[in-house]
Each structure stands twice: as structure tokens, then as C-alpha cells.
Amino acid sequence: GENVEQHPSTLSVQEGDSAVIKCTYSDSASNYFPWYKQELGKRPQLIIDIRSNVGEKKDQRIAVTLNKTAKHFSLHITETQPEDSAVYFCAASEYGNKLVFGAGTILRVKS
Amino acid sequence: DTEVTQTPKHLVMGMTNKKSLKCEQHMGHRAMYWYKQKAKKPPELMFVYSYEKLSINESVPSRFSPECPNSSLLNLHLHALQPEDSALYLCASSPWEAVNQPQHFGDGTRLSIL
């Protein structure tokens, strides 16, 4: 089955700096890669996703890149703000829309 | 505002109790999911319903029994749970059960087993 590795496990950045979180996946058949943000005590919130026929997708300060050959994808957050502080999970989609999540990255934005 | 509603928000139960978790969505989605999330861990898939039929059971113990009465509702019946079952139980929905359909989560039920 699919296996997703996520790095780093924690990331501290200064407000206004950029943050990058990287994930690798094992199953070359996976073709959907969402990113979720989860604040403490709240639900995972879908912030951006990318499909395998696209190499990059942007939504304001957030972007995701996908390299299918290398089987890795990354989340980029520019101009970070304190409210970006949360746990971020990457995921890859297997059969039947089964999402396999990475272990998560705790992002701290220091003001 | 979440479009997937879960009740109750918190539940404390003994190991011999029977309780149910409820999930409701009114987005017209035809796929619904149950996930379990332990503290500081990612969500783990338990069940997938597609068009009100169970399509995926991730080898979940029988003390967890899912039910999908209609396309908007998803229940999780609990019986004889163990302390290690204490976790956040998340419901999600997507337009249909196909790869690349975005899943939207509810706020979850935080379950504690005494």
C-alpha cells in the first residue's frame, strides 16, 4: 500500500519568511495530493490540492509543487503570518479515494 | 463554518456502554468517511461509504459498527470499547468515491473511554 513520508516534523520561521514542507510517496499510481491544516482542537481543513496532471498550483500565499518522476510534492507558504501556525498534513490518494496521510509538520510562526 | 456536522462534540463512556456518533452533510456528497485521530497523529481511515453502501473497511474491530441510513447521514455505533479507542473521530465527505475528490472534514467527536 501507499506510504507517505513528511519532513520536517517541526518548523519554526520568523513572521514574513517562507515555509516549505516536503512529502514523498511510494505508490506511483497515486494521483491526487491534498494538503490539510489542523489548528489545535479543530478539524483538518483542506487548504490546497494538486492532481497528477499538474506540476504546480497556487492560491494566494500558498503553492504546491509535484514531481511525479521523483514521487515527491511540497507545500510552500510565503509571507508567513502568526495565524499560519498549525499542524500541516500532506496526503496521497489510493484506490477508492483512500487518503494516506503523512505524519504531520508542526509549523510555528514567530512574531 | 463547517458543512459536515458531527454530534456529539464530546463523549465519555464506560467500556460496557453502547453509544452512537452521528455525522450529517447537506452538500449532496455521495461518499462519506470515518477517520480516527489519536493525539499528535494523522487521521487514519476506518470506513468509506459510497452511495450508502460500505465500500472500504480498514480491518476495524467489530466493536465499531458503521451505518449509512441515507445519503446525508452517517452513524458510527460503539459497543464494548477499550481505553485505547479514546481518540478524535472525524467524519468527512466528498462528491463521490473516486480518486482526486476533495474530502471535507467535520469538527469531530472527542471520545474518552473510562
Side-chain angles (χ1 to χ4, degrees), chain B residues 18-89:
Chain B
K18 285 185 181 181
K19 296 285 186 183
S20 297
L21 309 184
K22 296 186 184 301
C23 174
E24 189 168 6
Q25 57 87 15
H26 292 290
M27 296 180 282
H29 288 177
R30 304 313 301 266
M32 296 184 76
Y33 311 77
W34 280 116
Y35 287 85
K36 174 182 178 179
Q37 186 177 26
K38 300 284 273 185
K40 300 185 180 180
K41 297 289 186 184
E44 293 181 6
L45 183 67
M46 300 174 71
F47 303 103
V48 180
Y49 271 83
S50 177
Y51 289 87
E52 300 155 49
K53 291 191 183 343
L54 182 66
S55 68
I56 296 178
N57 176 343
E58 289 288 294
S59 302
V60 178
S62 59
R63 58 185 184 269
F64 295 91
S65 175
E67 178 196 21
C68 190
N70 60 56
S71 60
S72 300
L73 290 173
L74 186 65
N75 298 323
L76 186 62
H77 302 298
L78 315 173
H79 174 55
L81 295 193
Q82 304 298 308
E84 61 265 27
D85 296 323
S86 297
L88 180 67
Y89 288 84

Side-chain angles (χ1 to χ4, degrees), chain A:
Chain A
E2 178 64 275
N3 182 52
V4 178
E5 294 192 359
Q6 183 172 346
H7 299 280
S9 56
T10 60
L11 178 59
S12 290
V13 299
Q14 205 64 36
E15 182 178 359
D17 287 350
S18 294
V20 180
I21 302 171
K22 298 182 179 182
C23 290
T24 60
Y25 61 99
S26 60
D27 189 348
S28 56
S30 292
N31 61 12
Y32 174 63
F33 308 92
W35 285 89
Y36 286 86
K37 173 186 180 183
Q38 189 173 28
E39 296 175 66
L40 191 62
K42 298 197 173 180
R43 65 187 172 97
Q45 182 181 8
L46 179 67
I47 57 172
I48 196 166
D49 57 13
I50 191 166
R51 292 164 176 80
S52 61
N53 58 346
V54 175
E56 183 176 0
K57 184 177 178 180
K58 268 185 155 179
D59 183 3
Q60 300 182 351
R61 297 186 297 109
I62 294 174
V64 57
T65 58
L66 171 64
N67 183 328
K68 282 220 74 177
T69 303
K71 290 192 279 190
H72 66 70
F73 56 112
S74 300
L75 177 71
H76 304 253
I77 306 174
T78 58
E79 300 172 22
T80 53
Q81 301 166 4
E83 52 265 37
D84 293 329
S85 296
V87 181
Y88 290 81
F89 293 103
C90 63
S93 184
E94 273 195 318
Y95 59 89
N97 208 16
K98 173 184 172 180
L99 288 182
V100 178
F101 287 85
T105 296
I106 300 171
L107 175 63
R108 297 191 185 94
V109 180
K110 298 175 286 187
S111 55

